Amino acid sequence: MNVSGPGPTWESFEELAAAASTCTKCPLAETRTQVVFGVGDPHADLVFVGEGPGAEEDRQGIPFVGRAGQLLTKLIEGIGLRRDGVYICNVVKCRPPGNRDPLPAEISACRPYLEAQLDFLAPRVLVTLGNFATRLLLDTKEGITKLRGREFPFRGHSVLIPTLHPAAVLRNGGNALAQARSDFVLVKRALALHAT
Ligand code: URA
């Protein structure tokens, strides 16, 4: 497939990942250990988009491998799927220092990689984890607490389901965990409805 939009063109997913791996388009390139492009099955029906790598992700080069990642893995397994059967990536591919929020300029610089990644992946169901991914991909300023647990059409071939970021679930516990679990039940239902 040849993905061409308003931005750069990449011939393959591998070429895209290789281009991202040496990116210096924003200052995060100076502080990262490595680019964290994404992990999982590029042919998966289900794709997750988080915010950006944390310390452990930056060290290992794999998204969602820290505490929040362990919860994400549990939520995935809780609906009868395996982590290696889905695809997981982030809005920004490099760690913001000290785990601060990514800046608008960093999100814009990284956006062509995410957009092209989603072009290649073309998942049936896309789950945005937290405010950053949800606001970017739904092009809204609305907050995650309003948007979570609902289905939005995405690019004609997908449904987008926003849910709470697993790090927020870890911070808030109780009700947040119940909400995340119920969002994942919706994800499971959407996968069954939109199966290939
Ligand atoms: N939080 C994220 O948003 N992404 C990761 O990869 C890890 C933690």
Side-chain angles (χ1 to χ4, degrees), residues 50-54 57 63-64 68 90 165:
E51 180 179 319
E57 290 77 19
F64 283 98
N90 284 303
H165 193 287

Side-chain angles (χ1 to χ4, degrees), residues 36 50-54 57 62-66 68-69 88-90 129 165 167:
V36 182
E51 180 179 319
E57 290 77 19
I62 303 169
F64 283 98
V65 286
I88 306 172
C89 61
N90 284 303
L129 301 166
H165 193 287

